[in-house]
């Protein structure tokens, strides 16, 4: 030993430079991913799907059949004011109910069946002193994401109010001098005839976190897989004798059992698959049994949870096996840094900048969240995200296997084995 005091290593410039580069880049990347994705969702919104329903039966006015509902929905569909931020989907009431119930719409605007007759009644001098104001209904869908639902609600409400004012101008012009014969209340309503009401288009149970339990449940699954991969990787190395295992002040070490890198990854992956059965069970017990989260299709939810943890964990193990110690940073970026902002839970995919939408196509958390959301909110419908979740998990498992075993197998063929050098008490190496 050279007798150098341990704290003198702080004078080494490489120690500061390497750690500064790693921590600085990590801080910058997390800021870009999290803040950049959510800094202006309304401005980045593009083709946010919102239903547009005309249920108006129309009415005969002056001997002509008039349908104000068709006029309103047509003008909203053609309106350039939203600059392509909203994708207005014209459909009937049955279709809008189905798509709200599959999470394919963030909301809807519905013109009721009696809209034309109610509006034209305002121009009738024979009407009641307190005429009934017709309504346009805005439907929200928190199950598809609270922010997306809020953006859809804002756009639908603005479109409904604008349409009401436009109809009011037309009616005022048509009635002309006849307005003097109308009741005072009717003349006021004539300028802005329609009221806008807001309703929940796909109500959730009270213990659904306002549509966020699916995201947080999926996040737990991914974090369990990611963190357990770190634990399992370390414990597998300790069991094979490649690393020490510190238990408080006690350092444990096992005899070396030589294993190739690919064999070590296979051992770790087998442990991950087995322990995923336990972790998936415990996640369900904690969320549903202890915390009372609203959930149905429990056997399917359990199977999906186990598979999600296993796939996330094996993916993380592959990265750890390929990159070694820096692998945990890569794992954190892939499974947390880039995943949370692109999961489509807090900010809808359609309101993300283009780069983040690209990431959302394959980031694991988004795929897993879609499947969990389908099970919890949409009666486990395949079209509501469950089928995509299964397919993407299978694809992710295949990619992780090919990448992990392909690269570690190449390492082994090149003779880059994980054989540690034994050391004497004085710190000098002993050939193995």
């Amino acid at each position: 030993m050279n007798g150098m005091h341990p704290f003198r290593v702080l004078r080494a410039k490489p120690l500061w430079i390497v750690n500064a580069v790693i921590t600085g880049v990590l801080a910058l990347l997390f800021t870009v991913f999290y803040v950049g994705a959510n800094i202006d969702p309304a401005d980045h919104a593009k083709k946010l799907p919102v239903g547009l329903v005309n249920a108006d039966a129309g009415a005969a006015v002056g001997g002509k059949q008039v349908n104000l509902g068709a006029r309103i929905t047509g003008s909203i569909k053609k309106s350039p004011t939203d600059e392509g931020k909203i994708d207005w989907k014209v459909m009937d009431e049955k279709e809008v109910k189905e798509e709200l119930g599959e999470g394919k719409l963030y909301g809807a605007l519905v013109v009721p069946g009696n809209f034309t007759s109610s509006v034209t009644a305002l121009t009738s001098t024979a009407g009641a002193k307190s005429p009934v104001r017709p309504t346009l209904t805005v439907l929200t869908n928190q199950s598809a994401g609270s922010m997306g639902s809020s953006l859809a609600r804002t756009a639908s409400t603005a479109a409904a109010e604008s349409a009401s004012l436009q109809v009011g101008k037309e009616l005022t012009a048509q009635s002309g001098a006849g307005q003097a014969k109308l009741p005072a209340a009717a003349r006021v309503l004539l300028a802005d005839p329609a009221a806008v009401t807001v309703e929940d288009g796909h109500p959730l149970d009270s213990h659904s976190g306002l549509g966020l339990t699916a995201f947080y449940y999926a996040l737990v699954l991914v974090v369990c897989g990611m963190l357990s991969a770190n634990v399992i990787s370390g414990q597998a190395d300790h069991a094979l004798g490649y690393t020490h295992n510190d238990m408080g002040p006690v350092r444990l070490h096992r005899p070396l059992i030589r294993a190739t890198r690919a064999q070590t990854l296979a051992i770790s992956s087998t442990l991950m698959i087995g322990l995923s059965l336990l972790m998936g069970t415990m996640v369900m017990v904690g969320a549903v049994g202890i915390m009372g989260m609203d959930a149905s299709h429990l056997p399917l939810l359990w199977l999906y949870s186990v598979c999600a943890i296993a796939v996330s964990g094996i993916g993380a193990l592959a990265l750890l096996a390929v990159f070694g110690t820096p692998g945990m940073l890569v794992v954190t970026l892939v499974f947390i840094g880039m995943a949370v902002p692109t999961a489509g839970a807090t900010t809808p995919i359609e309101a993300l900048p283009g780069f983040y939408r690209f990431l959302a196509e394959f980031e694991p958390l988004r795929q897993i969240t879609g499947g969990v959301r389908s099970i919890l909110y949409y009666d486990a419908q395949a079209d509501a995200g469950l089928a995509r979740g299964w397919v993407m998990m299978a694809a992710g498992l295949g990619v992780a296997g090919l990448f992990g075993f392909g690269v570690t197998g190449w390492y082994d063929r090149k003779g880059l084995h994980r054989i540690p050098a034994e050391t004497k008490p004085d710190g000098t190496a002993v050939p193995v």
Side-chain angles (χ1 to χ4, degrees):
M1 302 292 287
N2 58 16
M4 186 177 72
H5 195 281
F7 284 102
R8 291 191 64 182
V9 300
L10 291 174
R11 297 182 182 180
K13 290 183 180 179
L15 179 66
W16 286 97
I17 293 172
V18 171
N19 284 282
V21 170
I22 293 174
T23 56
V25 170
L26 194 64
L28 177 63
L29 289 177
F30 264 83
T31 302
V32 169
F33 288 133
Y34 277 68
V35 179
N38 298 282
I39 200 166
D40 193 359
D43 184 61
H44 289 127
K46 185 177 181 181
K47 294 189 176 299
L48 196 76
V50 179
L52 190 58
V53 179
N54 175 32
D56 188 10
V61 180
K64 296 181 180 180
Q65 187 68 18
V66 176
N67 191 307
L68 294 177
R71 193 181 303 173
I72 287 175
T73 54
S75 65
I76 292 175
K77 179 71 175 177
K78 297 176 182 178
S79 175
T81 56
D82 57 39
E83 300 176 346
K85 297 180 183 298
I86 304 297
D87 182 13
W88 296 105
K89 296 182 175 294
V90 179
M91 54 185 63
D92 58 33
E93 290 181 288
K94 180 181 178 181
E95 290 172 329
V96 82
K97 184 176 181 180
E98 290 176 352
E99 296 211 5
L100 286 170
E102 294 176 352
K104 295 180 179 179
L105 296 176
Y106 288 101
L109 175 60
V110 180
V111 181
N114 64 344
F115 185 75
T116 299
S117 59
S118 297
V119 171
T120 55
L122 299 177
T123 64
S124 173
T125 57
K129 291 183 179 180
S130 299
V132 178
R133 194 179 188 189
T135 61
L136 296 172
T137 303
V138 172
L139 299 178
T140 61
N141 190 11
Q142 283 193 329
S143 67
S146 55
M147 185 180 292
S149 179
S150 177
L151 291 172
R153 172 180 174 172
T154 300
S156 299
T157 302
E161 291 172 348
S162 177
S164 176
L165 292 173
Q166 183 61 37
V167 170
K169 288 180 181 178
E170 295 176 3
L171 292 176
T172 300
Q174 291 172 5
S175 60
Q179 288 190 68
K181 301 178 182 180
L182 296 175
R187 289 198 300 272
V188 173
L189 287 179
L190 196 61
D192 185 12
V196 180
T197 62
V198 179
E199 298 178 4
D200 194 342
H202 184 70
L204 296 174
D205 294 325
S206 59
H207 288 185
S208 296
L210 301 178
L212 286 174
T213 50
F215 166 68
Y216 286 112
Y217 189 94
L219 181 60
V220 169
L221 299 179
V222 171
V223 169
C224 283
M226 182 189 79
L227 294 182
S228 61
N230 192 45
V231 173
I232 289 172
S233 178
Q235 291 300 312
D237 284 345
H238 170 62
L240 292 170
Y242 283 93
T243 61
H244 298 288
N245 191 13
D246 291 330
M247 302 294 290
V250 179
R251 170 163 288 190
L252 304 176
H253 187 66
R254 294 179 180 274
L256 179 64
I257 302 174
R258 297 182 185 276
T260 65
R261 293 177 182 271
Q263 288 173 337
T264 303
L265 178 57
I267 293 169
S268 300
S269 298
T270 302
L271 280 169
M272 177 61 70
I273 293 171
L275 294 176
S276 294
L277 298 169
L278 171 64
M279 288 186 283
T281 301
M282 298 309 294
V283 169
M284 273 194 61
V285 168
V288 181
I290 297 177
M291 303 310 299
M293 182 185 77
D294 288 314
S296 56
H297 304 282
L298 294 183
L300 177 59
L301 180 62
W302 175 83
L303 178 62
Y304 193 86
S305 301
V306 169
C307 292
I309 292 174
V311 172
S312 299
I314 292 173
L317 285 171
L319 293 173
L320 290 170
V322 169
F323 294 106
T325 301
M328 197 58 199
L329 295 178
V330 179
V331 168
T332 303
L333 286 174
V334 172
F335 288 92
I336 299 296
M338 295 188 294
V340 172
T342 59
T346 52
T347 302
I349 303 299
E350 294 83 358
L352 292 173
F355 172 68
Y356 300 88
R357 293 182 203 174
F358 167 73
L359 291 179
E361 292 300 317
F362 56 85
E363 269 295 327
L365 183 56
R366 188 261 176 117
Q367 327 306 328
I368 294 172
T369 298
V372 174
R373 182 181 282 139
S374 174
I375 296 171
L376 295 183
Y377 306 153
Y378 305 133
D379 198 30
Q381 297 178 78
D383 290 343
L386 185 56
R388 178 187 174 94
W390 283 120
V391 169
M392 293 302 287
M393 277 202 292
L397 181 61
V399 170
L402 289 173
F403 178 67
F405 287 103
V407 176
T408 55
W410 181 79
Y411 288 164
D412 292 331
R413 290 192 298 274
K414 289 292 183 178
L416 304 173
H417 302 302
R418 302 180 67 240
I419 301 176
E422 298 291 343
T423 58
K424 294 180 181 179
D426 64 358
T428 59
V430 177
V432 177

